[in-house]
Amino acid sequence: QIDKYLYAMRLSDETLIDIMARFRREMKNGLSRDFNPTATVKMLPTFVRSIPDGSEKGDFIALDLGGSYFRILRVKVSHEKKQTVQMESEIYNTPEDIMHGSGTRLFDHVAECLGDFMEKQQIKDKKLPVGFTFSFPCRQSKLDEGILITWTKRFKASGVEGADVVKLLNKAIKKRGDYDADIMAVVNDTVGTMMTCGFDDQRCEVGLIIGTGTNACYMEEMRHIDLVEGDEGRMCINTEWGAFGDDGSLEDIRTEFDREIDRGSLNPGKQLFEKMVSGLYMGELVRLILVKMAKEGLLFEGRITPELLTKGKFETKHVSAIEKSKEGLNKAKEILTRLGVEPSHEDCIAVQHVCTIVSFRSANLVASTLGAILNQLRDNKGVGRLRTTVGVDGSLYKMHPQYARRLHKTTRRLVPDSDVRFLLSESGSGKGAAMVTAVAYRLSEQHRLIDETLAEFKLTHEQLLQVKKRMRTEMEAGLKKKSHETAKVKMLPTFVRSTPDGTENGDFLALDLGGTNFRVLLVKIRSGKRRTVEMHNKIYAIPIEVMQGTGEELFDHIVTCISDFLDYMGIKGARLPLGFTFSFPCKQTSLDAGILLNWTKGFKATDCEGEDVVYLLREGIKRREEFDLDVVAVVNDTVGTMMTCAYEDPNCEIGLIVGTGSNACYMEEMRNVEMVDGEQGRMCVNMEWGAFGDNGCLDDIRTIYDKAVDDYSLNAGKQRYEKMISGMYLGEIVRNILIDFTKRGFLFRGQISETLKTRHIFETKFLSQIERLALLQVRTILQQLGLNSTCDDSIIVKTVCGAVSKRAAQLCGAGMAAVVDKIRENRGLEHLEITVGVDGTLYKLHPHFSRIMHQTVKDLAPKCDVTFLLSEDGSGKGAALITAVGCRLRDAEQ
């Protein structure tokens, strides 16, 4: 008879599988960007990205608000031999008037209980990290905020919905002023449960609550979570499944009793699934059924008492008691007698049956929504069989004699292709909240240390002005005869006395030696109305054994390449004028003589330092006995860059290179160039500014990482400025920081891969790419380098690259500011307008370098209006132009 009466509450497997499919659709909607706003199942991102990994440690406080009582725990996680957890807790009650009063009162109450707890624990003076378990639907954009969407269950405090509960609690704590707390994480109780169980079972990836309310969370793939940036790894999603059906999708299975419960609740029309399932409503459902059956004379001979008609008189704990297999009927008699209905033995059996139907329906419904989550996990993993653990908590699941068994059984029937372990969360969600807090604490501690380290790379305006001033001092020292010998910034005369005037004409050869490649060019310059420059070139590699062999081998290799080029162009017979771009520090005594001071950038050929490179080249040509050339000029690449740009813009009187290496040149007044006789006109000075700081004048801004890069370089102690700004070294600085961060456990799970130990693996082009790309692509680049990085790793690597390249650009700008200001003062101008010709891969390819450098020059030299012009092939075309100017001046003298 009762079965017939309550047939609507008996759900077939067919119906349950249908509900499972419906819930799966709801999950999908909640995760999607387009459908989330209207979705009933909110699928809220929790910003918890992993279950405990065993490295958590420390002393934490966990607050747990949301169920039938309010609990505070102190959780100590230590690592002696293995990870151990010590917990002490206090339970505080939350009176009805506080749950329904103002939000301010509620949080004052929480803050007061927390103060009492800290007093008892004697930790009022400590600022311990706090994890806040808050069992209501919250929107989060980070771990330490929770914006309450809506109250559920018994709570209805005013002024909290739409507010951040962390801010409210912090405000209440501040108002008291007798202790300090650092709230690091807001955790939903389902998440806390999952984390608590995850501590004991690494396979746990679902948290389930069946108590006063009901809800579940699980680990979802980031690629499916539209509402959070990034596709890497996983994040725990709080489904808030209590609201399933709020859009009418469960109307076909809701009964008249469910509708009546809803009408009488604090939140009509909301949490309809929860109202069919959870402990807060189960006793009331049974009471409503009993009233109706009594009214129809099916129970208690139609007796209806005031007690039976009183809302809340029949509680869920009574349902649990009545369903006990042995003493259930006696309990039924006892409970019903208290309600004054004088039950018969048959009445007791009937009531027990009603209880069973209501509680069994609850277990079946939970099994179908849980089944949907398990299917999602299985599909995400792409496995045939899913092995996983579900962490469970809640009074109904724990106290009801049959509930757990029924839930497990139905779940296994609905999802046959999975091995599910149900793990009861012994210590509630408190331990889990402490775990989340431990992870958050570790991360925030890590961020603090990372910021502290990278702070050394952040230069203030004052520091940059100081760099500018010191560069100026060093420039003066290099120009003066008496200090030139000991000066580090050599300020070498180039014997280039003027920029092109447009009358240059003829065919010229240019050689370009300065890196791992060597170029030979034929440049045809035509003057007149339509000035044209036509170029042909061929690139030759210089093997490392030649770079680091003997000088004779190096110059023989160069001459072989020239010979090949002349054959290739069919011009072996002509004795062409040649310009030799030689991008190493040279002391020139004339336009066509340059004594190599020292090799840089990885070159090490013997018997060259202290020799005239033009002589070495002429000797090589003689040994070959195949062709003859007229070597007119030896050219530094910075000067070539300046000349190329000056051919386009006569205002260009500075050359700058920021590529593999870095250097600058500019037009100085002859009266200041004491190393060359004569007071008239100007001469281009090759600064060789890479050596700035070699006398220790930049030591106050060099970091341990700069020192490490210097110590391991081919020319330790030399070119210190260059090592802080140029492409050959920035990647090395980054690599050294990454190694340090990995050693300190901030990166790559503390694993230093072989790749990371390899010098020069981090080419500067990677720096440019990493700073330009999205995180996912950064991760791909790091993987190509053999670095298996997580999303967090990629963020840190990107931050490091940014800090290093920003400093480089600022230091470069400070040097340039010194140059432009000197030119302005040389000419006695209040305001200078000048153009800088620039070349170099770092300047050209890096997404932010040029912008930051320009801004720095503007800030540090406000009286100069500086235009930067990108040079098109300075070391080739520029060398030819210098040769052309040299020929023009030589012809004029003759």
Side-chain angles (χ1 to χ4, degrees):
Q1 197 180 5
I2 291 171
D3 286 349
K4 197 162 117 225
Y5 195 78
L6 291 180
Y7 83 98
M9 283 200 169
R10 316 211 45 169
L11 306 172
S12 66
D13 278 4
E14 199 182 340
T15 307
L16 294 175
I17 286 167
D18 182 37
I19 291 169
M20 190 155 73
R22 289 185 216 178
F23 186 66
R24 186 91 184 262
R25 278 198 297 276
E26 293 290 331
M27 285 167 65
K28 209 174 158 177
N29 287 342
L31 288 172
S32 107
R33 182 176 286 114
D34 301 336
F35 295 107
N36 176 278
T38 55
T40 47
V41 179
K42 281 294 178 214
M43 303 296 280
L44 303 165
T46 64
F47 295 84
V48 170
R49 293 171 189 271
S50 65
I51 52 177
D53 66 357
S55 66
E56 299 75 19
K57 55 176 184 284
D59 195 351
F60 307 98
I61 287 178
L63 305 179
D64 188 349
L65 177 71
S68 8
Y69 49 79
F70 168 47
R71 207 168 86 159
I72 304 183
L73 306 92
R74 181 176 181 189
V75 185
K76 284 187 203 156
V77 193
S78 63
H79 279 258
E80 261 61 68
K81 288 185 184 55
K82 63 185 206 29
Q83 204 178 21
T84 52
V85 182
Q86 238 187 312
M87 298 201 297
E88 299 166 66
S89 69
E90 289 272 336
I91 288 179
Y92 296 89
N93 107 31
T94 309
E96 191 91 5
D97 60 314
I98 286 186
M99 290 200 276
H100 297 166
S102 76
T104 316
R105 268 190 71 200
L106 174 64
F107 284 98
D108 285 348
H109 172 67
V110 173
E112 186 184 339
C113 297
L114 181 55
D116 172 77
F117 181 79
M118 290 173 84
E119 186 96 42
K120 285 184 178 146
Q121 290 280 329
Q122 300 172 348
I123 47 174
K124 264 197 159 162
D125 53 334
K126 287 194 184 148
K127 186 177 182 181
L128 294 185
V130 177
F132 185 14
T133 302
F134 187 70
S135 323
F136 302 95
C138 282
R139 242 179 235 300
Q140 294 182 267
S141 67
K142 49 184 195 284
L143 199 50
D144 58 354
E145 89 169 359
I147 291 160
L148 177 64
I149 296 174
T150 165
W151 285 116
T152 57
K153 296 169 291 201
R154 297 198 174 89
F155 280 75
K156 199 73 180 163
S158 61
V160 185
E161 293 181 342
D164 177 1
V165 296
V166 177
K167 286 208 176 83
L168 295 175
L169 180 52
N170 273 330
K171 201 164 135 194
I173 292 171
K174 223 186 207 96
K175 194 159 68 183
R176 291 177 60 85
D178 60 339
Y179 66 88
D180 208 356
D182 192 2
I183 301 166
M184 303 211 78
V186 180
V187 184
N188 182 275
D189 55 341
T190 50
V191 183
T193 300
M194 181 187 79
M195 295 295 276
T196 300
C197 295
F199 185 80
D200 299 316
D201 180 344
Q202 287 279 303
R203 264 215 204 82
C204 183
E205 43 191 355
V206 183
L208 171 62
I209 301 266
I210 314 163
T212 312
T214 180
N215 191 11
C217 69
Y218 71 101
M219 296 302 292
E220 177 59 270
E221 303 292 317
M222 279 291 290
R223 62 175 190 272
H224 294 155
I225 307 173
D226 287 358
L227 300 174
V228 183
E229 270 307 298
D231 280 342
E232 288 321 309
R234 306 200 297 170
M235 182 181 284
C236 182
I237 288 290
N238 165 18
T239 63
E240 285 298 337
W241 76 12
F244 178 33
D246 288 7
D247 57 353
S249 60
L250 292 177
E251 286 314 300
D252 55 332
I253 61 162
R254 285 176 76 229
T255 64
E256 53 180 306
F257 308 109
D258 296 307
R259 295 194 170 87
E260 197 172 336
I261 281 249
D262 180 43
R263 283 198 293 274
S265 67
L266 280 171
N267 53 351
K270 299 248 173 9
Q271 301 293 103
L272 298 184
F273 179 72
E274 180 167 76
K275 284 169 186 166
M276 297 166 78
V277 166
S278 80
L280 184 55
Y281 308 100
M282 189 171 283
E284 190 57 15
L285 268 174
V286 172
R287 186 186 70 81
L288 293 173
I289 293 168
L290 299 185
V291 168
K292 185 163 188 222
M293 288 178 74
K295 279 185 177 162
E296 296 182 16
L298 296 170
L299 278 177
F300 319 133
E301 299 169 358
R303 276 189 297 282
I304 295 171
T305 64
E307 285 86 353
L308 187 59
L309 290 172
T310 306
K311 185 175 170 189
K313 270 288 187 209
F314 199 97
E315 295 173 55
T316 300
K317 65 179 182 195
H318 298 149
V319 177
S320 295
I322 291 170
E323 282 195 66
K324 284 199 170 122
S325 47
K326 293 220 167 54
E327 68 263 43
L329 289 174
N330 292 338
K331 289 282 181 200
K333 194 171 179 69
E334 212 176 287
I335 291 158
L336 293 169
T337 305
R338 275 207 304 268
L339 293 174
V341 293
E342 302 165 30
S344 66
H345 185 61
E346 281 69 31
D347 286 339
C348 292
I349 293 173
V351 170
Q352 190 179 44
H353 198 52
V354 170
C355 288
T356 303
I357 288 173
V358 171
S359 67
F360 215 132
R361 178 181 72 154
S362 165
N364 281 340
L365 285 170
V366 171
S368 52
T369 46
L370 177 61
I373 289 178
L374 296 171
N375 282 332
Q376 176 88 349
L377 282 172
R378 194 192 61 222
D379 293 351
N380 284 349
K381 292 185 177 168
V383 290
R385 268 194 98 70
L386 174 73
R387 286 191 68 183
T388 192
T389 299
V390 178
V392 201
D393 198 2
S395 46
L396 183 58
Y397 181 88
K398 282 183 175 165
M399 302 307 184
H400 190 288
Q402 326 285 339
Y403 197 95
R405 192 177 49 79
R406 292 171 184 160
L407 172 68
H408 304 170
K409 214 170 152 186
T410 310
T411 303
R412 292 184 177 123
R413 211 170 56 241
L414 293 179
V415 191
D417 41 11
S418 55
D419 303 317
V420 187
R421 176 181 181 213
F422 288 87
L423 188 57
L424 187 59
S425 157
E426 292 301 342
S427 44
S429 44
K431 181 156 106 182
M435 290 299 144
V436 177
T437 308
V439 174
Y441 183 68
R442 191 179 75 213
L443 286 174
S444 80
E445 199 49 22
Q446 183 175 307
H447 282 301
R448 193 180 61 74
L449 292 166
I450 287 172
D451 291 345
E452 207 172 90
T453 303
L454 295 182
E456 294 185 61
F457 287 86
K458 294 192 167 61
L459 301 176
T460 62
H461 184 72
E462 278 57 49
Q463 283 175 305
L464 290 168
L465 272 175
Q466 200 54 45
V467 172
K468 174 188 168 185
K469 193 172 131 198
R470 291 174 199 169
M471 176 69 90
R472 179 64 183 269
T473 309
E474 297 296 306
M475 287 167 72
E476 305 286 357
L479 287 169
K480 297 220 177 336
K481 222 183 198 125
K482 64 175 196 298
S483 50
H484 177 84
E485 208 36 58
T486 56
K488 290 298 181 187
V489 177
K490 280 295 180 205
M491 306 297 284
L492 304 166
T494 64
F495 295 86
V496 170
R497 296 169 189 271
S498 81
T499 50
D501 66 359
T503 63
E504 295 75 22
N505 198 41
D507 292 0
F508 307 91
L509 268 186
L511 307 182
D512 175 11
L513 178 67
T516 42
N517 289 331
F518 166 62
R519 287 194 309 158
V520 188
L521 304 94
L522 173 65
V523 186
K524 301 183 171 184
I525 302 175
R526 298 291 174 261
S527 60
K529 266 204 176 64
R530 296 199 47 207
R531 299 187 309 175
T532 60
V533 178
E534 184 192 320
M535 301 202 298
H536 304 272
N537 74 57
K538 204 166 170 188
I539 295 180
Y540 302 89
I542 299 187
I544 194 139
E545 58 273 15
V546 175
M547 281 165 70
Q548 304 184 357
T550 69
E552 215 166 84
E553 286 168 349
L554 176 63
F555 280 91
D556 283 346
H557 178 72
I558 289 171
V559 172
T560 307
C561 297
I562 298 173
S563 168
D564 173 82
F565 182 76
L566 296 176
D567 285 338
Y568 169 70
M569 295 299 295
I571 47 172
K572 210 161 220 172
R575 184 174 183 269
L576 290 172
L578 176 138
F580 184 11
T581 300
F582 186 73
S583 315
F584 301 94
C586 269
K587 185 176 171 142
Q588 286 184 248
T589 48
S590 66
L591 190 59
D592 65 347
I595 291 155
L596 173 64
L597 294 176
N598 55 281
W599 285 119
T600 56
K601 294 179 288 196
F603 275 75
K604 266 275 196 269
T606 56
D607 311 323
C608 296
E609 295 183 354
E611 299 292 329
D612 173 7
V613 293
V614 176
Y615 171 76
L616 294 174
L617 177 62
R618 285 177 179 150
E619 286 302 295
I621 294 173
K622 273 194 194 134
R623 280 198 296 278
R624 180 102 187 176
E625 292 183 335
E626 212 182 272
F627 54 86
D628 195 18
L629 295 168
D630 170 19
V631 186
V632 175
V634 59
V635 182
N636 182 276
D637 54 347
T638 45
V639 187
T641 298
M642 178 186 80
M643 294 297 269
T644 324
C645 292
Y647 193 61
E648 307 297 328
D649 174 354
N651 219 7
C652 176
E653 299 185 80
I654 303 173
L656 168 67
I657 297 229
V658 205
T660 313
S662 179
N663 192 13
C665 68
Y666 70 102
M667 298 303 289
E668 179 55 274
E669 307 302 312
M670 271 300 289
R671 63 174 188 273
N672 294 335
V673 186
E674 294 185 9
M675 300 305 291
V676 179
D677 295 338
E679 300 284 305
Q680 291 311 303
R682 294 176 183 154
M683 181 179 284
C684 180
V685 168
N686 164 19
M687 294 176 65
E688 287 299 335
W689 82 2
F692 176 37
D694 289 4
N695 58 0
C697 69
L698 293 178
D699 284 2
D700 56 337
I701 61 169
R702 288 172 79 228
T703 65
I704 51 168
Y705 309 106
D706 295 302
K707 295 186 180 81
V709 169
D710 184 29
D711 290 345
Y712 283 106
S713 63
L714 283 168
N715 53 350
K718 298 210 163 70
Q719 304 290 102
R720 287 182 177 173
Y721 180 60
E722 175 170 81
K723 283 172 186 163
M724 293 167 86
I725 63 178
S726 83
M728 184 163 175
Y729 304 101
L730 294 190
E732 272 304 279
I733 298 174
V734 168
R735 189 181 67 86
N736 276 283
I737 298 174
L738 298 186
I739 285 180
D740 180 40
F741 281 5
T742 309
K743 279 183 186 154
R744 289 159 70 186
F746 305 160
L747 273 177
F748 309 131
R749 296 172 201 75
Q751 306 289 307
I752 300 182
S753 64
E754 283 309 308
T755 323
L756 204 49
K757 291 183 197 151
T758 316
R759 302 231 324 269
H760 303 301
I761 180 73
F762 237 94
E763 296 169 51
T764 303
K765 67 169 186 208
F766 289 133
L767 249 78
S768 299
Q769 289 172 345
I770 284 170
E771 288 190 61
R772 184 181 292 120
L773 298 173
L775 287 179
L776 193 58
Q777 294 158 303
V778 171
R779 190 158 171 258
T780 313
I781 292 178
L782 293 172
Q783 276 168 341
Q784 285 164 2
L785 291 174
L787 301 169
N788 198 356
S789 87
T790 62
C791 197
D792 292 330
D793 290 339
S794 307
I795 293 171
I796 295 172
V797 171
K798 199 167 179 169
T799 312
V800 170
C801 291
V804 171
S805 63
K806 179 176 182 178
R807 181 188 68 159
Q810 289 182 317
L811 285 173
C812 184
M816 187 45 69
V819 176
V820 293
D821 252 348
K822 179 160 196 332
I823 295 176
R824 185 180 63 77
E825 287 171 32
N826 281 347
R827 302 181 186 179
L829 296 170
E830 197 35 53
H831 186 83
L832 171 74
E833 284 195 19
I834 197 161
T835 299
V836 180
V838 204
D839 199 357
T841 43
L842 187 62
Y843 183 89
K844 284 184 180 166
L845 301 178
H846 192 280
H848 315 302
F849 190 95
S850 55
R851 178 176 51 78
I852 294 169
M853 186 191 87
H854 299 168
Q855 189 55 48
T856 309
V857 176
K858 213 185 215 126
D859 294 345
L860 300 179
K863 294 181 177 171
C864 302
D865 191 359
V866 186
T867 307
F868 290 87
L869 189 58
L870 252 176
S871 147
E872 291 304 318
D873 189 33
S875 34
K877 188 160 139 187
L881 284 164
I882 292 169
T883 308
V885 172
C887 290
R888 191 185 80 214
L889 296 177
R890 189 174 62 184
D891 295 349
E893 279 168 25
Q894 288 168 5

